[in-house]
Amino acid sequence: MALEEYRRKRDFRITAEPPGKQATRSKAAIFVIQHHFASREHYDFRLELDGVLKSWAVPKGPSTESHVKRLAVEVEDHPLPYAKFHGRIPEGQYGAGTVSIWDHGTWQPEGDAHQSLRDGELVFSLKGRKLKGRWALIRMKPSEKFKGKNNWLLFYKGDSIPTRPAKRTATPRSSAAKAPKAAKAAKRSRTVARLDFISPQLATLAEQPPSGEGWVHEMKLDGYRIQALVNHGTVQLLTRAGKDWTTRFSGIAMALAKLNVDTAILDGEIVALDDEGRSSFHRLQAALEEGARIPLQYSVFDLL
């Protein structure tokens, strides 16, 4: 697919998504998986090939259990800069919702990637922060249920990553010559490090509490689930759907900015307490919507 379809669907005067163009391939082909809270929550799986990102929408996300095969719907190619895109796509735009980077790294096909895609069977290795090992994309046969869609199955094939023999041998430069450059790169990477939204674990409805040892329980807080990204004095507050609510809870953000940490990702609930110390959603709504002078509290229950 060409980038014309990608551009046709978007108004770049409104959305912050990169217009992009077909680019020269990277030294090592990259992959990215983006968690997308659109009309339907899903994961976007993208592989760099021929200067663009070949893309599939994976409704349930990739599974590292080899017996689990996940539906992957092929969509339009995306430009390479999209691999770094995260944030909110405005309402009314294609894919409106919040995008966060779930995983990224490099990938390597087994054999000719172009021929494998034409044949409908692409086997490849991933080297990411979360996903590693061998994976496969297998094209499904057309059916009445999925008529008009280019559907594939994405699944994990194991940890073994085959090594490809080098085509020629080169004499390495001395480590002493590389050291200053490596030190500068390390320092630069620390400076520009970015924290990404992590999709939070949500409660699951059950008929009765679990039995057996090893379980604890806690009171349910009636407020807003908020993830705080603290990064060298700057703070971003995100809802469980990845929406930026920093300005709505500016007082909490200012307090978190004073924490004696370089970086941290906190998971918790912002609440307003009643006179008996219980969380009250009614009081929280009054503080947000009516401007009532009600103190808010951020109860942190996890350090991600």
Side-chain angles (χ1 to χ4, degrees), residues 174-211:
S174 69
S175 58
K178 290 184 177 180
K181 187 175 182 180
K184 288 181 181 179
K187 183 177 181 180
R188 183 168 59 252
S189 66
R190 286 195 299 269
T191 303
V192 300
R194 188 186 72 227
L195 300 182
D196 294 324
F197 174 73
I198 300 172
S199 182
Q201 291 182 327
L202 303 177
T204 301
L205 187 65
E207 293 293 333
Q208 59 186 15
S211 60

Side-chain angles (χ1 to χ4, degrees), residues 40-60:
R40 292 185 179 181
E41 179 185 358
H42 64 278
Y43 294 78
D44 293 311
F45 182 73
R46 312 189 195 281
L47 300 174
E48 177 191 347
L49 187 67
D50 296 332
V52 297
L53 294 170
K54 310 299 290 185
S55 300
W56 292 260
V58 186
K60 295 185 178 180

